[in-house]
Amino acid sequence: MALIGYLGKSAGNGISFVVSREVFRTPKNLKWSGSARYATHQRHGTYALTEFTGIDPSRFSFDILLTAEMGVNPLKEVAKIGNYEQDGEALGLVIGGKAYGKYRWNIQSHEVKIEYTDEAGRMYAVEVSVELLEYRKGADQNTSRAAQTKAAAKTTIQVPVSAAPGPGGGSGGTAYTVKKGDNLWTLAKRFYGSGADYTKIYEANRETIGNNPNLIYPGQTFTIPG
């Protein structure tokens, strides 16, 4: 069996796309779209004027067939999709070794078509239609708020925590403002010499970062423990 892609946080934690002689579980009817916004200004007796006002998040949609014959539990997979959708999880989309989109996606909606059930009424074969919306958060957003964050990051300097406590409230460390391109691994390597020590930074700033240590944003201020 060959793994050709997935929708989720990783290949082992998500909806996997696989093929083999017996199994063919790949997305179909793929659609990738984008759009821009324009305001229309009407003028009396002549052509209206249009004004570019911004770019909408990209959209991606696909259908996937899930059957018990493929060695999966259709109900479990559908529940996983629903949980991702309700929790607002930012997910990677990889097909054929290629990551689609600039960063990640949110599941905006899904629709389940139950084709067959077993004798007990359990889902046996379902086709799920998934609608994805591009995840856009942080410095990539072209908004005035992001611009303010970027400007603030340029003027922030590193100072001892004893003089200016960071969010973690610790002592004996350094306050650091996240810049574009930073991640906990590179920060740990910079401050401790080993990226594997990223957990020190994460634990000291869990309240600011949240449950996913992979998601940090420019403008956030962390406490770097000594």
Side-chain angles (χ1 to χ4, degrees):
M1 182 179 297
L3 176 71
I4 67 164
Y6 64 88
L7 172 67
K9 296 181 179 179
S10 66
N13 181 12
I15 307 301
S16 59
F17 308 140
V18 297
V19 293
S20 72
R21 290 184 178 180
E22 296 79 22
V23 176
F24 189 78
R25 190 167 79 241
T26 58
K28 61 179 182 178
N29 300 326
L30 288 79
K31 296 180 182 179
W32 193 359
S33 62
S35 61
R37 296 188 303 276
Y38 287 84
T40 302
H41 305 282
Q42 302 294 340
R43 296 192 297 170
H44 181 71
T46 186
Y47 292 104
L49 298 177
T50 58
E51 178 187 6
F52 176 77
T53 61
I55 303 172
D56 292 321
S58 295
R59 296 176 181 274
F60 198 100
S61 65
F62 63 87
D63 302 329
I64 186 168
L65 182 65
L66 303 170
T67 74
E69 290 179 341
M70 297 177 181
V72 300
N73 183 330
L75 178 59
K76 184 178 180 181
E77 297 294 282
V78 168
K80 188 184 296 183
I81 292 172
N83 289 335
Y84 283 149
E85 177 183 306
Q86 294 175 17
D87 294 341
E89 292 276 5
L91 309 173
L93 176 63
V94 177
I95 303 174
K98 174 180 173 57
Y100 281 71
K102 291 185 177 180
Y103 183 48
R104 294 185 181 179
W105 304 84
N106 294 119
I107 298 179
Q108 185 175 36
S109 65
H110 73 283
E111 181 178 287
V112 181
K113 179 182 178 182
I114 303 175
E115 298 192 353
Y116 304 104
T117 63
D118 63 14
E119 66 278 1
R122 293 183 293 261
M123 292 183 183
Y124 187 83
V126 302
E127 184 173 82
V128 187
S129 299
V130 180
E131 297 280 344
L132 304 177
L133 186 67
E134 185 182 21
Y135 177 85
R136 303 285 283 179
K137 186 174 182 179
D140 286 341
Q141 287 180 300
N142 187 19
T143 65
S144 57
R145 186 174 183 181
Q148 292 171 3
T149 300
K150 186 175 182 180
K154 288 183 178 180
T155 59
T156 303
I157 60 174
Q158 296 182 21
V159 296
V161 174
S162 57
S171 60
T174 299
Y176 178 82
T177 300
V178 178
K179 299 177 178 58
K180 187 175 182 179
D182 283 341
N183 58 60
L184 294 188
W185 185 275
T186 57
L187 292 181
K189 192 170 183 179
R190 182 187 310 172
F191 286 97
Y192 303 125
S194 173
D197 288 329
Y198 78 93
T199 54
K200 295 181 181 179
I201 303 175
Y202 176 56
E203 292 301 330
N205 300 276
R206 183 186 290 268
E207 184 176 342
T208 299
I209 298 172
N211 294 329
N212 191 342
N214 293 319
L215 299 181
I216 65 174
Y217 308 106
Q220 290 180 319
T221 301
F222 293 163
T223 297
I224 308 297

